[in-house]
Amino acid sequence: MELGIKGKRALVCASSKGLGRGCAEALAEAGAELILNARGAEALEATAAHIRSTYGVTVTTVAADITTPDGRARVLEAAGSVDILVTNAGGPPPGSWQDWNRDAFIAALDANMLTPVALIQALVPGMMERGWGRVVNITSQSVKSPIPVLGLSNSARAGLTGFVAGTSRQVAGQGVTINNLLPGIHATDRAESLDGGVAKAQNITIEQARENRQATIPAGRYGTAAEFGAACAFLCSVHAGFIVGQNILLDGGAVNATL
Ligand code: NAP
């Protein structure tokens, strides 16, 4: 399917690896020009080089922490006017509800709620003026079904979800859609590190931890960054203009719910 976004400018945050990279590659395949971001320059440059040579699109890179005001300012300056925004950042660490203090909550809110809000506030007005725009926030399955050890994620992402629910309906009339993609478990470094934590806590191997988790997923496997990216690219396409303020779960059926 032709997605109709050739030549559109797309900022994909936290995109040297994992789900962000999957989104960047799918947008590049559809012909979008990219601005990519991550903290580590080496992996970022390697990803950018791969995308340029594979898809023939322009890729600008900004090595910066997207969760800091300075990092965001540098990314926004390099990005200029943007048609497509994919927000993403690392997820909060696992832990126990009794241990999280105010500083832990503020850090999680900064990374997984207030950073996407700030990027939306910076870039959506320009999209509205131009009469077209797409925002996709990478959130989590934890929005629909809380993950006990990821209470910081459960909390911060619920806040972003509320902001998007209200805001998306105020900008849709100017041709701008804002939606959230909710990953269940996908095979990325983040999943590897979460499985490593489970293996340690339960005194089992990481392979056993992965097998145990896969057994809880109706699809019987982890998702891939490429599948996730394809869903993101569709939401950013000309065909998705009537999808507004939705929370779309990509979880292999793991959340057992009718709606
Ligand atoms: P990942 O494989 O660890 O990749 C994270 C990417 O984000 C890397 O490119 C990393 O590069 C970059 N990054 C992290 N923190 C950043 C920051 N502060 N500023 C700029 N770039 C940053 O993670 P993932 O699995 O793709 O997960 C992406 C998001 O989806 C996370 O919020 C995660 O919690 C959420 N999620 C993932 C899953 C899953 O199963 N994978 C499930 C539910 C939710 P640098 O380290 O170099 O900055």
Side-chain angles (χ1 to χ4, degrees):
M1 182 192 287
E2 169 63 50
L3 296 185
I5 52 173
K6 192 169 172 12
K8 297 282 190 196
R9 285 175 62 77
L11 166 59
V12 188
C13 302
S15 51
S16 66
K17 298 178 188 169
L19 304 180
R21 177 175 175 158
C23 296
E25 291 216 36
L27 290 167
E29 192 175 5
E33 310 293 336
L34 298 181
I35 304 97
L36 300 188
N37 152 257
R39 291 164 303 180
E42 199 178 326
L44 181 62
E45 292 309 328
T47 295
H50 169 81
I51 290 177
R52 284 185 200 107
S53 67
T54 308
Y55 305 105
V57 298
T58 306
V59 183
T60 303
T61 55
V62 188
D65 185 339
I66 197 68
T67 68
T68 65
D70 172 64
R72 274 194 301 281
R74 290 200 289 124
V75 169
L76 287 169
E77 191 182 349
S81 90
V82 158
D83 308 297
I84 294 168
L85 165 66
V86 180
T87 75
N88 186 29
S96 165
W97 63 272
Q98 289 159 304
D99 299 335
W100 295 311
N101 58 21
R102 179 177 168 79
D103 288 348
F105 273 104
I106 296 297
L109 290 170
D110 259 340
N112 298 115
M113 177 187 173
L114 299 176
T115 290
V117 168
L119 291 165
I120 287 168
Q121 288 173 329
L123 294 172
V124 165
M127 296 178 190
M128 292 167 76
E129 268 171 42
R130 293 186 296 279
W132 196 92
R134 298 282 185 265
V135 179
V136 174
N137 302 296
I138 300 179
T139 68
S140 173
Q141 154 189 327
S142 70
V143 169
K144 289 214 186 238
S145 174
I147 301 169
V149 294
L150 292 179
L152 293 172
S153 170
N154 301 339
S155 308
R157 297 188 197 280
L160 175 63
T161 305
F163 174 80
V164 167
T167 306
S168 58
R169 285 152 175 104
Q170 297 173 61
V171 304
Q174 275 72 49
V176 180
T177 69
I178 312 179
N179 291 287
N180 302 320
L181 273 184
L182 283 52
I185 193 78
H186 283 69
T188 67
D189 288 359
R190 165 87 172 166
E192 187 86 11
S193 128
L194 290 174
D195 285 342
V198 170
K200 203 171 157 198
Q202 298 180 4
N203 200 20
I204 56 176
T205 64
I206 194 162
E207 289 75 21
Q208 191 59 54
R210 195 176 300 126
E211 275 174 31
N212 292 350
R213 196 198 291 259
Q214 279 176 350
T216 68
I217 304 169
R221 63 175 178 87
Y222 287 8
T224 69
E227 290 171 311
F228 190 88
C232 175
F234 177 76
L235 277 183
C236 295
S237 76
V238 293
H239 310 296
F242 209 51
I243 303 177
V244 171
Q246 297 303 300
N247 292 283
I248 298 170
L249 193 56
L250 283 84
D251 71 339
V255 173
N256 190 30
T258 304
L259 288 175

Short mmCIF file of all heavy atoms in Angstrom, two decimals, residues 117-158:
data_model
loop_
_atom_site.label_atom_id
_atom_site.label_comp_id
_atom_site.label_asym_id
_atom_site.label_seq_id
_atom_site.Cartn_x
_atom_site.Cartn_y
_atom_site.Cartn_z
N VAL A 117 4.55 15.48 25.93
CA VAL A 117 3.67 16.66 25.97
C VAL A 117 4.42 17.89 25.43
O VAL A 117 3.89 18.64 24.59
CB VAL A 117 3.17 16.92 27.42
CG1 VAL A 117 2.52 18.29 27.54
CG2 VAL A 117 2.20 15.82 27.85
N ALA A 118 5.67 18.07 25.86
CA ALA A 118 6.45 19.24 25.41
C ALA A 118 6.69 19.19 23.90
O ALA A 118 6.62 20.21 23.21
CB ALA A 118 7.78 19.30 26.16
N LEU A 119 6.96 18.00 23.37
CA LEU A 119 7.20 17.87 21.93
C LEU A 119 5.92 18.15 21.14
O LEU A 119 5.95 18.81 20.09
CB LEU A 119 7.75 16.47 21.61
CG LEU A 119 9.17 16.21 22.14
CD1 LEU A 119 9.49 14.72 22.13
CD2 LEU A 119 10.20 16.99 21.32
N ILE A 120 4.80 17.67 21.65
CA ILE A 120 3.51 17.94 21.00
C ILE A 120 3.24 19.45 21.03
O ILE A 120 2.85 20.04 20.00
CB ILE A 120 2.39 17.14 21.71
CG1 ILE A 120 2.50 15.66 21.37
CG2 ILE A 120 1.00 17.68 21.35
CD1 ILE A 120 1.63 14.74 22.22
N GLN A 121 3.47 20.08 22.17
CA GLN A 121 3.22 21.52 22.26
C GLN A 121 4.12 22.31 21.31
O GLN A 121 3.72 23.33 20.77
CB GLN A 121 3.43 22.00 23.71
CG GLN A 121 2.32 21.53 24.64
CD GLN A 121 2.61 21.84 26.10
OE1 GLN A 121 3.77 21.87 26.53
NE2 GLN A 121 1.55 22.07 26.87
N ALA A 122 5.35 21.82 21.10
CA ALA A 122 6.28 22.54 20.23
C ALA A 122 5.95 22.36 18.75
O ALA A 122 6.13 23.29 17.95
CB ALA A 122 7.71 22.06 20.50
N LEU A 123 5.49 21.18 18.37
CA LEU A 123 5.42 20.86 16.93
C LEU A 123 4.01 20.83 16.34
O LEU A 123 3.84 21.05 15.14
CB LEU A 123 6.10 19.50 16.68
CG LEU A 123 7.62 19.53 16.95
CD1 LEU A 123 8.22 18.14 16.87
CD2 LEU A 123 8.32 20.46 15.95
N VAL A 124 3.00 20.57 17.16
CA VAL A 124 1.64 20.47 16.60
C VAL A 124 1.11 21.81 16.09
O VAL A 124 0.42 21.83 15.06
CB VAL A 124 0.69 19.79 17.62
CG1 VAL A 124 -0.77 19.99 17.24
CG2 VAL A 124 1.02 18.29 17.68
N PRO A 125 1.42 22.95 16.73
CA PRO A 125 0.92 24.21 16.16
C PRO A 125 1.33 24.41 14.69
O PRO A 125 0.51 24.83 13.87
CB PRO A 125 1.53 25.27 17.08
CG PRO A 125 1.66 24.56 18.40
CD PRO A 125 2.06 23.16 18.05
N GLY A 126 2.58 24.08 14.34
CA GLY A 126 3.03 24.20 12.94
C GLY A 126 2.26 23.24 12.04
O GLY A 126 1.90 23.59 10.91
N MET A 127 2.02 22.03 12.52
CA MET A 127 1.24 21.06 11.73
C MET A 127 -0.17 21.62 11.48
O MET A 127 -0.70 21.51 10.36
CB MET A 127 1.12 19.72 12.47
CG MET A 127 2.43 18.99 12.70
SD MET A 127 2.12 17.45 13.64
CE MET A 127 3.78 16.93 14.04
N MET A 128 -0.75 22.22 12.50
CA MET A 128 -2.12 22.76 12.36
C MET A 128 -2.13 23.90 11.34
O MET A 128 -3.04 23.97 10.50
CB MET A 128 -2.63 23.26 13.72
CG MET A 128 -2.88 22.13 14.71
SD MET A 128 -3.13 22.74 16.39
CE MET A 128 -4.81 23.35 16.29
N GLU A 129 -1.12 24.74 11.39
CA GLU A 129 -1.05 25.86 10.43
C GLU A 129 -0.97 25.34 9.00
O GLU A 129 -1.57 25.87 8.08
CB GLU A 129 0.21 26.69 10.70
CG GLU A 129 -0.03 27.86 11.64
CD GLU A 129 1.29 28.50 12.02
OE1 GLU A 129 2.16 28.66 11.13
OE2 GLU A 129 1.44 28.79 13.22
N ARG A 130 -0.19 24.24 8.83
CA ARG A 130 -0.02 23.67 7.48
C ARG A 130 -1.17 22.75 7.11
O ARG A 130 -1.26 22.27 5.98
CB ARG A 130 1.32 22.92 7.40
CG ARG A 130 2.53 23.86 7.51
CD ARG A 130 3.84 23.12 7.27
NE ARG A 130 4.11 22.11 8.28
CZ ARG A 130 4.63 22.36 9.49
NH1 ARG A 130 4.95 23.61 9.82
NH2 ARG A 130 4.84 21.39 10.35
N GLY A 131 -2.05 22.44 8.08
CA GLY A 131 -3.25 21.67 7.78
C GLY A 131 -3.05 20.17 7.69
O GLY A 131 -3.94 19.43 7.22
N TRP A 132 -1.90 19.67 8.15
CA TRP A 132 -1.66 18.23 8.10
C TRP A 132 -0.59 17.85 9.12
O TRP A 132 0.44 18.54 9.21
CB TRP A 132 -1.19 17.77 6.72
CG TRP A 132 -1.29 16.28 6.49
CD1 TRP A 132 -2.35 15.62 5.94
CD2 TRP A 132 -0.31 15.27 6.82
NE1 TRP A 132 -2.09 14.26 5.90
CE2 TRP A 132 -0.84 14.01 6.44
CE3 TRP A 132 0.95 15.30 7.41
CZ2 TRP A 132 -0.16 12.80 6.62
CZ3 TRP A 132 1.63 14.09 7.59
CH2 TRP A 132 1.08 12.86 7.20
N GLY A 133 -0.82 16.79 9.84
CA GLY A 133 0.22 16.30 10.76
C GLY A 133 -0.18 14.98 11.39
O GLY A 133 -1.35 14.61 11.42
N ARG A 134 0.82 14.29 11.86
CA ARG A 134 0.61 12.99 12.52
C ARG A 134 1.51 12.92 13.75
O ARG A 134 2.72 13.20 13.66
CB ARG A 134 0.99 11.83 11.59
CG ARG A 134 0.17 11.74 10.32
CD ARG A 134 -1.20 11.12 10.61
NE ARG A 134 -1.97 10.93 9.39
CZ ARG A 134 -2.87 11.79 8.93
NH1 ARG A 134 -3.09 12.95 9.55
NH2 ARG A 134 -3.55 11.52 7.83
N VAL A 135 0.93 12.52 14.88
CA VAL A 135 1.72 12.25 16.08
C VAL A 135 1.39 10.84 16.55
O VAL A 135 0.21 10.48 16.66
CB VAL A 135 1.40 13.25 17.22
CG1 VAL A 135 2.23 12.92 18.46
CG2 VAL A 135 1.63 14.69 16.76
N VAL A 136 2.42 10.06 16.79
CA VAL A 136 2.26 8.73 17.39
C VAL A 136 3.15 8.68 18.63
O VAL A 136 4.36 8.93 18.55
CB VAL A 136 2.66 7.60 16.41
CG1 VAL A 136 2.62 6.25 17.12
CG2 VAL A 136 1.73 7.59 15.20
N ASN A 137 2.54 8.38 19.76
CA ASN A 137 3.30 8.22 21.00
C ASN A 137 3.48 6.73 21.27
O ASN A 137 2.49 5.98 21.28
CB ASN A 137 2.56 8.85 22.18
CG ASN A 137 2.28 10.33 21.94
OD1 ASN A 137 3.21 11.13 21.83
ND2 ASN A 137 1.01 10.69 21.82
N ILE A 138 4.73 6.33 21.50
CA ILE A 138 4.97 4.94 21.90
C ILE A 138 4.75 4.88 23.41
O ILE A 138 5.51 5.50 24.18
CB ILE A 138 6.39 4.47 21.53
CG1 ILE A 138 6.59 4.55 20.01
CG2 ILE A 138 6.62 3.05 22.03
CD1 ILE A 138 7.97 4.14 19.53
N THR A 139 3.70 4.19 23.85
CA THR A 139 3.43 4.12 25.29
C THR A 139 3.64 2.68 25.74
O THR A 139 4.75 2.16 25.60
CB THR A 139 2.04 4.68 25.64
OG1 THR A 139 1.01 3.85 25.12
CG2 THR A 139 1.87 6.10 25.14
N SER A 140 2.62 2.00 26.21
CA SER A 140 2.82 0.63 26.71
C SER A 140 1.49 -0.07 26.93
O SER A 140 0.48 0.57 27.23
CB SER A 140 3.59 0.65 28.02
OG SER A 140 3.64 -0.65 28.59
N GLN A 141 1.53 -1.37 26.84
CA GLN A 141 0.41 -2.22 27.24
C GLN A 141 -0.03 -1.90 28.68
O GLN A 141 -1.18 -2.10 29.05
CB GLN A 141 0.87 -3.68 27.10
CG GLN A 141 0.21 -4.68 27.95
CD GLN A 141 0.93 -6.05 27.86
OE1 GLN A 141 1.47 -6.43 26.83
NE2 GLN A 141 0.90 -6.79 28.94
N SER A 142 0.90 -1.37 29.47
CA SER A 142 0.61 -1.09 30.89
C SER A 142 -0.50 -0.04 31.03
O SER A 142 -1.10 0.08 32.10
CB SER A 142 1.86 -0.61 31.61
OG SER A 142 2.25 0.67 31.19
N VAL A 143 -0.82 0.69 29.95
CA VAL A 143 -1.92 1.65 30.00
C VAL A 143 -3.26 0.91 30.14
O VAL A 143 -4.18 1.37 30.80
CB VAL A 143 -1.91 2.53 28.73
CG1 VAL A 143 -3.19 3.34 28.62
CG2 VAL A 143 -0.69 3.44 28.72
N LYS A 144 -3.35 -0.25 29.48
CA LYS A 144 -4.61 -1.01 29.52
C LYS A 144 -4.61 -2.05 30.63
O LYS A 144 -5.65 -2.42 31.14
CB LYS A 144 -4.84 -1.73 28.19
CG LYS A 144 -5.16 -0.78 27.06
CD LYS A 144 -6.13 -1.41 26.06
CE LYS A 144 -6.33 -0.50 24.89
NZ LYS A 144 -7.68 -0.11 24.65
N SER A 145 -3.43 -2.56 30.95
CA SER A 145 -3.34 -3.65 31.93
C SER A 145 -2.06 -3.45 32.73
O SER A 145 -0.97 -3.66 32.21
CB SER A 145 -3.29 -4.98 31.17
OG SER A 145 -3.07 -6.03 32.06
N PRO A 146 -2.18 -2.99 33.97
CA PRO A 146 -0.98 -2.60 34.72
C PRO A 146 0.01 -3.74 34.90
O PRO A 146 -0.39 -4.89 35.10
CB PRO A 146 -1.54 -2.15 36.07
CG PRO A 146 -2.88 -2.80 36.17
CD PRO A 146 -3.40 -2.91 34.78
N ILE A 147 1.29 -3.40 34.80
CA ILE A 147 2.36 -4.38 35.03
C ILE A 147 2.89 -4.09 36.44
O ILE A 147 3.44 -3.00 36.67
CB ILE A 147 3.47 -4.23 33.97
CG1 ILE A 147 2.87 -4.43 32.56
CG2 ILE A 147 4.60 -5.21 34.24
CD1 ILE A 147 3.79 -4.05 31.41
N PRO A 148 2.71 -5.02 37.40
CA PRO A 148 3.00 -4.71 38.81
C PRO A 148 4.38 -4.08 39.06
O PRO A 148 4.48 -3.09 39.76
CB PRO A 148 2.85 -6.06 39.50
CG PRO A 148 1.86 -6.79 38.67
CD PRO A 148 2.12 -6.37 37.25
N VAL A 149 5.44 -4.64 38.46
CA VAL A 149 6.78 -4.10 38.76
C VAL A 149 7.07 -2.81 38.02
O VAL A 149 8.09 -2.16 38.27
CB VAL A 149 7.91 -5.12 38.43
CG1 VAL A 149 7.82 -6.32 39.35
CG2 VAL A 149 7.90 -5.50 36.97
N LEU A 150 6.21 -2.43 37.08
CA LEU A 150 6.44 -1.20 36.31
C LEU A 150 5.43 -0.12 36.70
O LEU A 150 4.85 0.55 35.85
CB LEU A 150 6.39 -1.50 34.80
CG LEU A 150 7.54 -2.36 34.26
CD1 LEU A 150 7.37 -2.61 32.76
CD2 LEU A 150 8.90 -1.69 34.52
N GLY A 151 5.25 0.07 37.99
CA GLY A 151 4.28 1.06 38.48
C GLY A 151 4.59 2.47 38.04
O GLY A 151 3.68 3.29 37.84
N LEU A 152 5.88 2.78 37.86
CA LEU A 152 6.23 4.12 37.40
C LEU A 152 5.75 4.32 35.96
O LEU A 152 5.27 5.39 35.59
CB LEU A 152 7.75 4.33 37.48
CG LEU A 152 8.34 4.36 38.89
CD1 LEU A 152 9.87 4.37 38.82
CD2 LEU A 152 7.84 5.57 39.67
N SER A 153 5.87 3.26 35.16
CA SER A 153 5.38 3.30 33.78
C SER A 153 3.85 3.35 33.76
O SER A 153 3.25 4.17 33.04
CB SER A 153 5.89 2.07 33.01
OG SER A 153 5.27 1.95 31.75
N ASN A 154 3.21 2.51 34.56
CA ASN A 154 1.74 2.51 34.65
C ASN A 154 1.24 3.93 34.90
O ASN A 154 0.27 4.40 34.29
CB ASN A 154 1.24 1.63 35.80
CG ASN A 154 1.67 0.18 35.70
OD1 ASN A 154 2.00 -0.29 34.63
ND2 ASN A 154 1.68 -0.51 36.83
N SER A 155 1.90 4.63 35.82
CA SER A 155 1.44 5.95 36.26
C SER A 155 1.71 7.03 35.22
O SER A 155 0.82 7.78 34.83
CB SER A 155 2.14 6.33 37.57
OG SER A 155 2.01 5.30 38.52
N ALA A 156 2.97 7.11 34.77
CA ALA A 156 3.34 8.19 33.85
C ALA A 156 2.60 8.07 32.52
O ALA A 156 2.13 9.05 31.96
CB ALA A 156 4.84 8.18 33.62
N ARG A 157 2.46 6.85 32.03
CA ARG A 157 1.83 6.67 30.72
C ARG A 157 0.32 6.92 30.80
O ARG A 157 -0.29 7.36 29.82
CB ARG A 157 2.16 5.29 30.18
CG ARG A 157 3.67 5.10 29.95
CD ARG A 157 3.93 3.82 29.23
NE ARG A 157 5.30 3.34 29.30
CZ ARG A 157 6.32 3.76 28.56
NH1 ARG A 157 6.15 4.75 27.70
NH2 ARG A 157 7.52 3.22 28.67
N ALA A 158 -0.26 6.64 31.96
CA ALA A 158 -1.69 6.97 32.13
C ALA A 158 -1.88 8.49 32.01
O ALA A 158 -2.86 8.96 31.42
CB ALA A 158 -2.18 6.46 33.48
#
